[in-house]
Amino acid sequence: MKIAFFSSQPYDITFFNKCNKDFNFELEYFDIGLDDQTVNLITEDVDTVCVFVNDKVDAAVIEKLSEKKVKYIALRCAGFNNVDLETAHKFGIKVCRVPAYSPEAVAEHTLAMLFTLNRKIHKAYNRVREQNFSLNGLLGTNIYKKTVGVIGTGNIGAVFCRMMKALGTEVLAYDLYPNDKLKAEGIRYVELDEIFAKSDIISLHCPLTPETMHVINPESIEKMKEGVILINTSRGKLIDTRATIQGLRAKKIGALGIDVYEQEENVFFRDLSGTILEDERLQLLTSFPNVLVTAHQAFFTDEALTQIAYVTLDNLKQLQATNKIEGRNAEL
Ligand SMILES: NC(=O)c1ccc[n+]([C@@H]2O[C@H](COP(=O)([O-])OP(=O)(O)OC[C@H]3O[C@@H](n4cnc5c(N)ncnc54)[C@H](O)[C@@H]3O)[C@@H](O)[C@H]2O)c1
């Protein structure tokens, strides 16, 4: 099988090449993202395209993939909002993903963002480097005994709920499908409005769907507690960025941590340090002292990358052998 990778970074090449010693597929790497132009790079001998979060796998691209006789689209991530599944099914192209490579990696990054913002570690780091040892402006709060609202309690949200519970917080959760085990561990499922009204900290862990798009919007922000800390390590479009900037300016939102951003496909995973950023909203956000932006790195641990490479190649091995993937919730 020949696999064409799009949006491939040096670490993708390192981890996939290492893992491929057990699979012996033919791997071809493109650093460019997949879209209706770059799809033309695919040669007739390619069976599979392997894509990541910001590759554009819409109807037009899938139609071209079908013309090129591509059989499989392998996502090397969990979220699949960037793939038009209906069109893929129509053309008989199988789509697979890596559903749960390391929920701990993302939950730990969420925790890191929360702690950094709350105790202003990002500011302290810079101050001390300039021999400014003053504490003025660095006051935080205890996380202990605060109320944390978690939206989406799947693999990642469940780990995050448990971490927060272990820190002595009250955890309120919202999910279309409440998790009985979490309930038994003292996590209380409530309606979204109660999450907005009672939470000191809100963390987003639901997928991006038409229902969850802009779940953080002017109305939901209005319902939140003054000074709420909002963290999004899920998908950028869960947050209406414009409304969130207004919420920050009005001091309704006390701090914002985002690992994902509405327009991230134009900037993330690239070194733009020598250029002037054209995205004015992102530039504005990065200038706020109470905003922490990381560039979609929550998944980025050694364990997660090892697992992503193994599961992606094993998904394809199974599809090639039996046209299905056993018991992993990986086939879409
Ligand atoms: N930043 C990163 O590096 C990174 C890495 C992996 C995943 N993610 C994002 O995290 C998200 C969650 O990942 P996961 O592995 O926990 O997924 P998951 O499928 O295990 O869990 C998602 C949960 O959201 C719930 N949900 C679906 N629609 C909902 C709605 N309308 N309202 C509330 N809850 C809803 C589902 O019932 C499920 O319990 C992914 O969709 C992906 O977008 C980000």
Coordinates of all heavy atoms in Angstrom, one line a residue, residues 62-150:
I62 N -12.7 15.1 -2.4 CA -13.0 13.7 -2.4 C -13.3 13.2 -3.8 O -12.9 12.1 -4.2 CB -14.2 13.4 -1.4 CG1 -13.7 13.6 0.0 CG2 -14.7 11.9 -1.6 CD1 -14.7 13.6 1.1
E63 N -14.0 14.0 -4.6 CA -14.3 13.6 -6.0 C -13.0 13.4 -6.7 O -12.9 12.4 -7.5 CB -15.2 14.7 -6.6 CG -15.9 14.2 -7.8 CD -17.0 15.2 -8.4 OE1 -17.5 16.0 -7.6 OE2 -17.2 15.1 -9.6
K64 N -12.0 14.2 -6.5 CA -10.7 14.1 -7.2 C -10.0 12.8 -6.7 O -9.3 12.1 -7.4 CB -9.9 15.3 -7.1 CG -10.4 16.5 -7.9 CD -9.3 17.5 -8.1 CE -9.8 18.7 -8.9 NZ -9.1 19.9 -8.8
L65 N -10.1 12.6 -5.4 CA -9.5 11.4 -4.8 C -10.1 10.2 -5.5 O -9.3 9.2 -5.8 CB -9.7 11.3 -3.3 CG -9.0 12.4 -2.4 CD1 -9.4 12.2 -1.0 CD2 -7.5 12.3 -2.6
S66 N -11.4 10.2 -5.7 CA -12.0 9.0 -6.3 C -11.6 8.8 -7.7 O -11.3 7.7 -8.1 CB -13.6 9.3 -6.2 OG -14.2 8.4 -7.0
E67 N -11.4 9.9 -8.5 CA -10.9 9.8 -9.8 C -9.5 9.2 -9.9 O -9.2 8.5 -10.8 CB -10.8 11.2 -10.5 CG -12.2 11.8 -10.9 CD -12.1 13.3 -11.2 OE1 -11.0 13.8 -11.4 OE2 -13.2 13.9 -11.2
K68 N -8.7 9.5 -8.8 CA -7.4 9.0 -8.7 C -7.3 7.6 -8.1 O -6.3 7.1 -7.8 CB -6.5 9.9 -7.9 CG -6.2 11.2 -8.7 CD -5.4 12.2 -7.8 CE -5.1 13.4 -8.6 NZ -4.1 13.3 -9.6
K69 N -8.5 7.0 -7.8 CA -8.7 5.7 -7.3 C -8.1 5.5 -5.9 O -7.6 4.4 -5.5 CB -8.1 4.6 -8.3 CG -8.5 4.8 -9.7 CD -9.0 3.5 -10.3 CE -9.6 3.6 -11.7 NZ -9.7 4.9 -12.3
V70 N -8.2 6.6 -5.1 CA -7.8 6.5 -3.7 C -8.8 5.7 -3.0 O -10.0 6.0 -3.2 CB -7.5 7.9 -3.1 CG1 -7.4 7.8 -1.6 CG2 -6.3 8.5 -3.7
K71 N -8.4 4.7 -2.2 CA -9.4 3.9 -1.5 C -9.7 4.3 -0.1 O -10.7 4.0 0.5 CB -8.9 2.4 -1.5 CG -8.7 1.8 -2.8 CD -8.5 0.2 -2.6 CE -7.8 -0.4 -3.7 NZ -6.3 -0.3 -3.7
Y72 N -8.6 4.9 0.6 CA -8.8 5.2 2.0 C -8.3 6.6 2.3 O -7.3 7.1 1.8 CB -7.9 4.2 2.9 CG -8.0 2.8 2.5 CD1 -6.9 2.1 1.9 CD2 -9.2 2.1 2.7 CE1 -7.1 0.7 1.5 CE2 -9.3 0.7 2.4 CZ -8.2 0.1 1.8 OH -8.3 -1.3 1.4
I73 N -9.1 7.2 3.3 CA -8.6 8.5 3.9 C -8.4 8.2 5.3 O -9.3 7.8 6.1 CB -9.8 9.6 3.8 CG1 -10.1 9.9 2.3 CG2 -9.3 10.8 4.5 CD1 -11.3 10.7 2.1
A74 N -7.1 8.3 5.7 CA -6.7 8.0 7.1 C -6.4 9.3 7.9 O -5.5 10.0 7.5 CB -5.5 7.1 7.1
L75 N -7.3 9.6 8.9 CA -7.0 10.8 9.7 C -6.0 10.4 10.8 O -6.3 9.4 11.5 CB -8.3 11.2 10.3 CG -9.3 11.9 9.4 CD1 -10.7 11.5 9.8 CD2 -9.2 13.4 9.5
R76 N -5.0 11.1 10.9 CA -4.1 10.8 12.0 C -4.4 11.7 13.2 O -3.5 12.4 13.9 CB -2.6 10.9 11.6 CG -2.2 12.2 10.9 CD -0.7 12.1 10.5 NE -0.2 13.4 10.1 CZ -0.3 13.9 8.9 NH1 -1.0 13.3 8.0 NH2 0.2 15.1 8.6
C77 N -5.7 11.8 13.6 CA -6.2 12.6 14.7 C -7.6 12.0 15.0 O -8.1 11.1 14.4 CB -6.3 14.0 14.3 SG -7.3 14.3 12.8
A78 N -8.2 12.6 16.1 CA -9.4 12.1 16.6 C -10.6 12.8 15.9 O -11.5 12.2 15.4 CB -9.6 12.2 18.1
G79 N -10.5 14.1 15.9 CA -11.6 14.9 15.3 C -11.7 14.7 13.8 O -10.7 14.5 13.1
F80 N -12.9 14.7 13.2 CA -13.1 14.5 11.8 C -14.0 15.5 11.1 O -14.6 15.2 10.0 CB -13.5 13.0 11.5 CG -14.8 12.7 12.3 CD1 -16.0 12.9 11.8 CD2 -14.6 12.1 13.6 CE1 -17.1 12.5 12.5 CE2 -15.7 11.8 14.3 CZ -17.0 12.0 13.8
N81 N -14.1 16.7 11.7 CA -15.0 17.7 11.2 C -14.6 18.3 9.8 O -15.4 18.9 9.1 CB -15.2 18.9 12.2 CG -13.8 19.3 12.7 OD1 -13.2 18.7 13.5 ND2 -13.4 20.4 12.1
N82 N -13.3 18.0 9.5 CA -12.8 18.5 8.2 C -13.0 17.6 7.0 O -12.6 17.8 5.9 CB -11.3 18.9 8.3 CG -10.5 17.7 8.8 OD1 -11.0 16.9 9.6 ND2 -9.2 17.7 8.5
V83 N -13.7 16.5 7.3 CA -13.9 15.5 6.2 C -15.4 15.4 5.9 O -16.2 15.2 6.8 CB -13.4 14.1 6.6 CG1 -13.6 13.1 5.5 CG2 -11.9 14.1 7.0
D84 N -15.8 15.5 4.6 CA -17.2 15.3 4.2 C -17.5 13.8 4.1 O -17.2 13.2 3.0 CB -17.4 16.0 2.8 CG -18.8 16.0 2.3 OD1 -19.6 15.1 2.8 OD2 -19.2 16.8 1.5
L85 N -17.9 13.2 5.2 CA -18.1 11.8 5.3 C -19.1 11.3 4.3 O -19.0 10.2 3.7 CB -18.5 11.4 6.7 CG -17.5 11.5 7.8 CD1 -18.1 11.1 9.1 CD2 -16.2 10.7 7.4
E86 N -20.2 12.1 4.1 CA -21.3 11.6 3.2 C -20.7 11.4 1.8 O -21.0 10.4 1.1 CB -22.3 12.7 3.2 CG -23.7 12.2 2.9 CD -24.7 13.3 3.1 OE1 -24.9 13.9 4.2 OE2 -25.4 13.7 2.0
T87 N -19.9 12.4 1.3 CA -19.4 12.3 0.0 C -18.4 11.1 -0.1 O -18.4 10.4 -1.1 CB -18.7 13.6 -0.5 OG1 -19.6 14.6 -0.3 CG2 -18.2 13.6 -1.9
A88 N -17.6 10.9 0.9 CA -16.6 9.8 0.9 C -17.4 8.5 0.8 O -17.0 7.6 0.0 CB -15.8 9.8 2.2
H89 N -18.5 8.4 1.6 CA -19.3 7.1 1.5 C -19.9 7.0 0.1 O -19.9 5.9 -0.4 CB -20.4 7.1 2.6 CG -19.9 7.1 4.0 ND1 -20.6 7.6 5.1 CD2 -18.7 6.7 4.5 CE1 -19.8 7.5 6.2 NE2 -18.7 6.9 5.8
K90 N -20.3 8.1 -0.5 CA -21.0 8.0 -1.8 C -20.0 7.4 -2.8 O -20.3 6.7 -3.7 CB -21.4 9.4 -2.2 CG -22.2 9.5 -3.5 CD -22.7 10.9 -3.7 CE -22.0 11.5 -4.9 NZ -22.2 12.9 -5.1
F91 N -18.7 7.8 -2.7 CA -17.7 7.4 -3.6 C -17.0 6.1 -3.2 O -16.0 5.6 -3.8 CB -16.6 8.5 -3.9 CG -17.1 9.6 -4.8 CD1 -17.5 10.8 -4.2 CD2 -17.2 9.4 -6.1 CE1 -18.0 11.8 -5.0 CE2 -17.7 10.4 -7.0 CZ -18.1 11.6 -6.4
G92 N -17.5 5.5 -2.1 CA -17.0 4.2 -1.6 C -15.5 4.3 -1.1 O -14.8 3.3 -1.1
I93 N -15.2 5.5 -0.6 CA -13.8 5.7 0.0 C -14.0 5.5 1.5 O -14.8 6.1 2.2 CB -13.2 7.1 -0.3 CG1 -13.1 7.2 -1.8 CG2 -11.9 7.2 0.5 CD1 -12.5 8.6 -2.2
K94 N -13.2 4.6 2.1 CA -13.3 4.3 3.5 C -12.5 5.4 4.3 O -11.4 5.8 3.9 CB -12.6 3.0 3.8 CG -13.4 1.8 3.3 CD -14.2 1.2 4.4 CE -15.0 0.0 3.9 NZ -15.9 -0.5 5.0
V95 N -13.1 5.8 5.4 CA -12.4 6.8 6.2 C -12.2 6.3 7.6 O -13.1 5.7 8.2 CB -13.3 8.1 6.3 CG1 -12.6 9.2 7.1 CG2 -13.8 8.6 5.0
C96 N -11.0 6.5 8.1 CA -10.7 6.0 9.5 C -9.9 7.1 10.2 O -9.4 8.1 9.7 CB -9.9 4.7 9.5 SG -8.3 4.8 8.6
R97 N -9.9 7.0 11.6 CA -9.3 8.0 12.4 C -8.6 7.3 13.6 O -8.7 6.0 13.8 CB -10.3 9.0 12.9 CG -11.3 8.3 13.8 CD -12.2 9.2 14.5 NE -13.2 8.5 15.4 CZ -13.7 9.0 16.5 NH1 -13.3 10.1 17.0 NH2 -14.5 8.3 17.2
V98 N -8.0 8.1 14.5 CA -7.4 7.5 15.7 C -8.2 8.1 16.9 O -8.0 9.2 17.3 CB -5.9 8.0 15.8 CG1 -5.3 7.3 17.0 CG2 -5.2 7.7 14.6
P99 N -9.2 7.3 17.3 CA -10.2 7.9 18.3 C -9.6 8.3 19.6 O -10.0 9.3 20.2 CB -11.2 6.8 18.4 CG -10.8 5.6 17.6 CD -9.4 5.9 17.0
A100 N -8.7 7.5 20.2 CA -8.3 7.8 21.6 C -6.9 7.5 21.8 O -6.5 6.5 22.4 CB -9.2 7.0 22.6
Y101 N -6.0 8.3 21.2 CA -4.6 7.9 21.3 C -3.9 8.3 22.6 O -3.1 7.5 23.1 CB -3.8 8.6 20.1 CG -4.1 10.1 19.9 CD1 -3.4 11.0 20.6 CD2 -5.0 10.4 19.0 CE1 -3.7 12.4 20.5 CE2 -5.4 11.8 18.8 CZ -4.7 12.7 19.5 OH -5.0 14.0 19.4
S102 N -4.3 9.4 23.2 CA -3.8 9.7 24.5 C -4.7 10.8 25.1 O -4.3 12.0 25.1 CB -2.3 10.1 24.5 OG -1.9 10.4 25.8
P103 N -5.8 10.5 25.6 CA -6.6 11.5 26.2 C -5.9 12.3 27.3 O -6.1 13.5 27.5 CB -7.9 10.8 26.8 CG -7.6 9.3 26.7 CD -6.4 9.1 25.8
E104 N -5.0 11.6 28.0 CA -4.2 12.2 29.1 C -3.4 13.4 28.5 O -3.2 14.4 29.2 CB -3.3 11.2 29.8 CG -4.0 10.1 30.6 CD -4.6 9.0 29.7 OE1 -4.2 8.9 28.5 OE2 -5.4 8.2 30.2
A105 N -2.8 13.2 27.3 CA -2.0 14.3 26.7 C -2.8 15.6 26.6 O -2.3 16.6 27.0 CB -1.5 13.8 25.4
V106 N -4.0 15.5 26.1 CA -4.8 16.7 25.9 C -5.3 17.2 27.3 O -5.3 18.4 27.5 CB -6.0 16.4 24.9 CG1 -6.8 17.7 24.7 CG2 -5.4 15.8 23.6
A107 N -5.7 16.3 28.1 CA -6.2 16.8 29.5 C -5.1 17.4 30.3 O -5.3 18.5 30.9 CB -6.8 15.6 30.2
E108 N -3.9 16.9 30.2 CA -2.8 17.5 30.9 C -2.4 18.9 30.4 O -2.1 19.8 31.1 CB -1.5 16.6 30.8 CG -1.6 15.4 31.7 CD -0.5 14.3 31.5 OE1 0.5 14.7 30.8 OE2 -0.6 13.2 32.0
H109 N -2.5 19.0 29.0 CA -2.2 20.3 28.5 C -3.3 21.4 28.9 O -3.0 22.5 29.2 CB -2.2 20.2 26.9 CG -1.7 21.5 26.3 ND1 -0.3 21.8 26.2 CD2 -2.3 22.5 25.7 CE1 -0.2 23.0 25.6 NE2 -1.4 23.4 25.3
T110 N -4.5 20.9 29.0 CA -5.6 21.7 29.4 C -5.4 22.2 30.8 O -5.5 23.4 31.2 CB -7.0 20.9 29.4 OG1 -7.1 20.3 28.1 CG2 -8.2 21.8 29.7
L111 N -4.9 21.3 31.7 CA -4.6 21.6 33.1 C -3.4 22.6 33.1 O -3.4 23.6 33.9 CB -4.2 20.3 33.8 CG -4.3 20.3 35.3 CD1 -5.7 20.4 35.7 CD2 -3.8 18.9 35.8
A112 N -2.4 22.4 32.2 CA -1.3 23.3 32.2 C -1.7 24.7 31.8 O -1.2 25.7 32.4 CB -0.2 22.8 31.2
M113 N -2.6 24.8 30.9 CA -3.1 26.2 30.4 C -3.8 26.8 31.6 O -3.6 28.0 31.8 CB -4.0 26.0 29.2 CG -3.3 25.5 28.0 SD -4.3 25.8 26.5 CE -3.6 27.3 25.9
L114 N -4.7 26.1 32.3 CA -5.5 26.6 33.4 C -4.5 27.1 34.5 O -4.7 28.2 35.0 CB -6.4 25.5 33.9 CG -7.1 25.8 35.2 CD1 -8.0 27.0 35.1 CD2 -7.9 24.6 35.6
F115 N -3.6 26.3 34.9 CA -2.7 26.7 36.0 C -1.8 27.9 35.6 O -1.5 28.8 36.4 CB -1.8 25.5 36.4 CG -2.5 24.6 37.4 CD1 -3.7 24.0 37.1 CD2 -1.9 24.3 38.6 CE1 -4.4 23.2 38.0 CE2 -2.6 23.5 39.5 CZ -3.8 22.9 39.2
T116 N -1.3 27.9 34.3 CA -0.5 29.0 33.9 C -1.3 30.3 34.0 O -0.8 31.3 34.5 CB -0.1 28.8 32.4 OG1 0.6 27.5 32.3 CG2 0.8 29.9 31.9
L117 N -2.5 30.3 33.4 CA -3.3 31.5 33.4 C -3.7 32.0 34.9 O -3.5 33.1 35.2 CB -4.6 31.3 32.6 CG -4.4 31.4 31.1 CD1 -5.6 30.8 30.4 CD2 -4.1 32.8 30.6
N118 N -4.1 31.0 35.7 CA -4.6 31.3 37.0 C -3.4 31.9 37.9 O -3.6 32.9 38.6 CB -5.2 30.1 37.7 CG -5.7 30.4 39.1 OD1 -6.4 31.4 39.3 ND2 -5.4 29.6 40.0
R119 N -2.2 31.3 37.8 CA -1.1 31.8 38.6 C -0.2 32.7 37.9 O 0.9 33.1 38.3 CB -0.4 30.6 39.3 CG -1.3 29.7 40.1 CD -2.0 30.5 41.2 NE -1.0 30.9 42.2 CZ -0.7 30.2 43.3 NH1 -1.3 29.0 43.6 NH2 0.2 30.6 44.2
K120 N -0.6 33.0 36.6 CA 0.2 34.0 35.8 C 1.7 33.6 35.6 O 2.6 34.5 35.7 CB 0.0 35.4 36.4 CG -1.5 35.8 36.5 CD -1.7 37.1 37.0 CE -3.2 37.5 37.0 NZ -4.1 36.6 37.8
I121 N 1.9 32.3 35.4 CA 3.2 31.8 35.2 C 3.9 32.4 34.0 O 5.1 32.6 34.0 CB 3.2 30.2 35.1 CG1 2.5 29.6 36.4 CG2 4.6 29.7 35.0 CD1 3.2 29.8 37.7
H122 N 3.0 32.6 33.0 CA 3.6 33.2 31.7 C 4.2 34.6 31.9 O 5.2 34.9 31.3 CB 2.5 33.2 30.6 CG 1.2 34.0 31.0 ND1 0.5 33.7 32.1 CD2 0.6 35.0 30.4 CE1 -0.5 34.5 32.2 NE2 -0.5 35.3 31.2
K123 N 3.6 35.3 32.9 CA 4.1 36.7 33.1 C 5.3 36.6 34.1 O 6.3 37.3 33.9 CB 3.0 37.5 33.8 CG 1.9 37.8 32.8 CD 0.8 38.6 33.5 CE 1.1 40.0 33.5 NZ 0.0 40.8 34.1
A124 N 5.2 35.7 35.1 CA 6.3 35.5 36.0 C 7.6 35.1 35.3 O 8.7 35.5 35.6 CB 5.9 34.5 37.1
Y125 N 7.5 34.2 34.3 CA 8.6 33.7 33.6 C 9.4 34.9 32.9 O 10.6 34.9 33.1 CB 8.1 32.7 32.5 CG 9.2 32.2 31.6 CD1 10.1 31.2 31.9 CD2 9.3 32.8 30.3 CE1 11.1 30.8 31.1 CE2 10.3 32.3 29.4 CZ 11.2 31.3 29.8 OH 12.2 30.9 29.0
N126 N 8.6 35.8 32.3 CA 9.3 36.9 31.6 C 9.9 37.9 32.7 O 11.0 38.4 32.5 CB 8.3 37.6 30.7 CG 8.0 36.8 29.5 OD1 8.9 36.1 29.0 ND2 6.8 36.9 29.0
R127 N 9.1 38.1 33.7 CA 9.6 39.1 34.7 C 10.9 38.7 35.3 O 11.9 39.5 35.4 CB 8.6 39.1 35.9 CG 7.5 40.1 35.6 CD 6.8 40.3 36.9 NE 5.5 40.9 36.6 CZ 4.7 41.4 37.5 NH1 4.9 41.2 38.8 NH2 3.6 41.9 37.1
V128 N 11.0 37.4 35.8 CA 12.2 37.0 36.5 C 13.4 37.0 35.5 O 14.5 37.3 36.0 CB 12.0 35.5 37.1 CG1 13.3 34.9 37.6 CG2 11.0 35.6 38.2
R129 N 13.2 36.7 34.3 CA 14.3 36.8 33.3 C 14.9 38.2 33.2 O 16.0 38.4 32.8 CB 13.8 36.3 31.9 CG 13.8 34.8 31.8 CD 12.9 34.4 30.7 NE 13.5 34.8 29.4 CZ 14.3 34.0 28.7 NH1 14.6 32.8 29.2 NH2 14.8 34.3 27.6
E130 N 14.0 39.2 33.5 CA 14.5 40.6 33.5 C 14.8 41.1 34.9 O 14.8 42.3 35.1 CB 13.4 41.5 32.8 CG 13.3 41.1 31.3 CD 12.4 42.1 30.5 OE1 12.0 43.1 31.1 OE2 12.1 41.8 29.4
Q131 N 15.0 40.2 35.8 CA 15.3 40.5 37.2 C 14.3 41.4 37.8 O 14.5 42.2 38.7 CB 16.7 41.2 37.3 CG 17.8 40.2 36.8 CD 19.1 40.9 36.7 OE1 19.5 41.7 37.4 NE2 19.8 40.4 35.6
N132 N 13.0 41.2 37.4 CA 11.9 41.9 38.1 C 11.3 40.8 39.0 O 10.6 40.0 38.6 CB 10.9 42.4 37.1 CG 9.6 43.0 37.7 OD1 9.5 42.9 38.9 ND2 8.8 43.5 36.9
F133 N 11.6 41.0 40.3 CA 11.1 40.0 41.3 C 9.9 40.4 42.0 O 9.5 39.9 43.1 CB 12.2 39.6 42.2 CG 13.4 39.1 41.5 CD1 14.6 39.8 41.3 CD2 13.4 37.8 40.9 CE1 15.7 39.3 40.6 CE2 14.5 37.3 40.2 CZ 15.7 38.1 40.1
S134 N 9.2 41.5 41.5 CA 8.0 41.9 42.2 C 6.8 41.0 41.9 O 6.7 40.3 40.9 CB 7.6 43.3 41.6 OG 6.3 43.6 41.7
L135 N 5.9 40.9 42.9 CA 4.7 40.0 42.8 C 3.5 40.8 42.3 O 2.4 40.2 42.1 CB 4.4 39.3 44.1 CG 5.4 38.4 44.7 CD1 4.9 37.7 45.9 CD2 5.8 37.3 43.7
N136 N 3.6 42.1 42.3 CA 2.4 42.9 41.9 C 1.8 42.5 40.6 O 2.6 42.4 39.6 CB 2.8 44.4 41.9 CG 3.1 44.9 43.3 OD1 2.5 44.5 44.3 ND2 4.1 45.8 43.4
G137 N 0.5 42.3 40.6 CA -0.1 41.9 39.3 C -0.1 40.4 39.1 O -0.6 39.9 38.0
L138 N 0.5 39.6 40.0 CA 0.6 38.1 39.7 C -0.4 37.4 40.6 O -0.4 36.1 40.6 CB 2.0 37.6 40.0 CG 3.1 38.2 39.1 CD1 4.4 37.5 39.4 CD2 2.8 38.0 37.6
L139 N -1.3 38.1 41.3 CA -2.2 37.4 42.2 C -3.1 36.4 41.5 O -3.7 36.7 40.5 CB -3.1 38.4 43.0 CG -3.9 37.9 44.1 CD1 -3.0 37.5 45.3 CD2 -4.9 39.0 44.6
G140 N -3.2 35.2 42.0 CA -4.1 34.2 41.5 C -5.2 33.8 42.5 O -5.4 34.5 43.5
T141 N -5.9 32.7 42.2 CA -6.9 32.2 43.2 C -6.5 30.7 43.4 O -5.8 30.1 42.6 CB -8.3 32.3 42.7 OG1 -8.4 31.5 41.5 CG2 -8.7 33.7 42.4
N142 N -7.1 30.2 44.5 CA -7.0 28.7 44.7 C -7.9 28.0 43.7 O -9.0 28.5 43.5 CB -7.4 28.3 46.1 CG -6.4 28.6 47.1 OD1 -5.4 29.2 46.9 ND2 -6.6 28.1 48.3
I143 N -7.5 27.0 43.1 CA -8.4 26.2 42.2 C -9.3 25.3 43.2 O -10.4 25.0 42.9 CB -7.5 25.3 41.3 CG1 -6.7 26.1 40.3 CG2 -8.4 24.3 40.5 CD1 -7.4 26.8 39.2
Y144 N -8.7 24.9 44.3 CA -9.4 24.1 45.3 C -10.7 24.7 45.6 O -10.8 25.9 45.9 CB -8.4 24.0 46.5 CG -9.0 23.2 47.7 CD1 -9.3 21.9 47.6 CD2 -9.2 23.9 48.9 CE1 -9.8 21.2 48.7 CE2 -9.6 23.2 50.0 CZ -10.0 21.8 49.9 OH -10.5 21.1 50.9
K145 N -11.7 23.9 45.6 CA -13.1 24.3 46.0 C -13.8 25.2 44.9 O -14.9 25.7 45.2 CB -13.2 25.0 47.3 CG -12.9 24.0 48.5 CD -13.7 24.3 49.7 CE -13.7 23.0 50.6 NZ -13.9 23.2 52.0
K146 N -13.2 25.4 43.8 CA -13.8 26.2 42.8 C -14.8 25.2 42.0 O -14.7 24.0 42.1 CB -12.8 26.8 41.8 CG -12.0 27.9 42.4 CD -12.8 29.1 42.7 CE -12.0 30.3 43.2 NZ -11.3 30.0 44.5
T147 N -15.7 25.8 41.2 CA -16.6 25.0 40.4 C -16.1 25.0 38.9 O -15.8 26.1 38.4 CB -18.0 25.6 40.4 OG1 -18.4 25.6 41.8 CG2 -19.0 24.8 39.6
V148 N -16.0 23.8 38.4 CA -15.4 23.6 37.0 C -16.5 23.0 36.1 O -17.1 22.0 36.5 CB -14.2 22.6 37.0 CG1 -13.6 22.5 35.6 CG2 -13.2 23.1 38.0
G149 N -16.8 23.7 35.0 CA -17.8 23.2 34.0 C -17.1 22.5 32.9 O -16.2 23.1 32.3
V150 N -17.4 21.3 32.6 CA -16.8 20.6 31.5 C -17.8 20.2 30.4 O -18.8 19.6 30.7 CB -16.1 19.3 32.0 CG1 -15.5 18.5 30.9 CG2 -15.1 19.6 33.1

